[in-house]
Amino acid sequence: MVFSAIADPKLLARFDEWLGNLSAFLRLGISSVLGIGKDEYTLEFRPYGQGVLIPPSPAAPPHEVGLMTLVSAATQEVATDIARYCNPVLLHFPLNADDPLPSFAFPFSPAEVELGRQYEFKLNHVVHLDRPDQLSRLVIETTGEAARG
């Protein structure tokens, strides 16, 4: 996991475009530089703060976004290698190729945090009901004046 903070107004105004370009750039590099195939890992981006606006306005971009980048692979070593490759890109990836390199922030150093084994819990139950209230019960308890009668 790598967490970075982005506060560039130009980039935040076009955040989804930037994130798509970042993802494509990293995936290409993971393949061509590290030699790791796309089926050997997962790369997930979770932006935090993108929906929080101060002051609230649907037309204004957020002031800052925290970007959590999660890498999963068959081994911790491969996941860490990918996260380390992503590190400088996550710190300096521009919106456009001709823009000067921005500087974002990492909250800690080293920027990569090894999370170890990850487990996913899935629960999928299907129950066919004759009535919508069949799995619940209704209890009415009368208190106070109404209870006395």
Side-chain angles (χ1 to χ4, degrees), residues 13-112:
R14 295 169 50 195
F15 184 78
D16 291 338
E17 175 188 349
W18 174 83
L19 190 57
N21 292 340
L22 172 73
S23 177
F25 182 87
L26 288 173
R27 292 173 197 282
L28 180 64
I30 291 166
S31 173
S32 63
V33 175
L34 299 179
I36 299 171
K38 65 180 180 179
D39 296 335
E40 298 178 66
Y41 71 94
T42 61
L43 181 63
E44 179 184 354
F45 302 101
R46 293 184 185 175
Y48 290 90
Q50 188 177 10
V52 179
L53 305 175
I54 303 170
S57 168
H63 296 286
E64 183 175 32
V65 169
L67 182 63
M68 180 184 293
T69 303
L70 297 169
V71 181
S72 298
T75 67
Q76 182 66 62
E77 181 182 7
V78 171
T80 300
D81 286 347
I82 293 170
R84 286 185 179 142
Y85 173 78
C86 293
N87 178 328
V89 178
L90 290 167
L91 194 57
H92 301 293
F93 192 72
L95 180 61
N96 302 303
D98 57 345
D99 285 347
L101 292 182
S103 284
F104 307 128
F106 290 138
F108 37 78
S109 182
E112 310 85 30

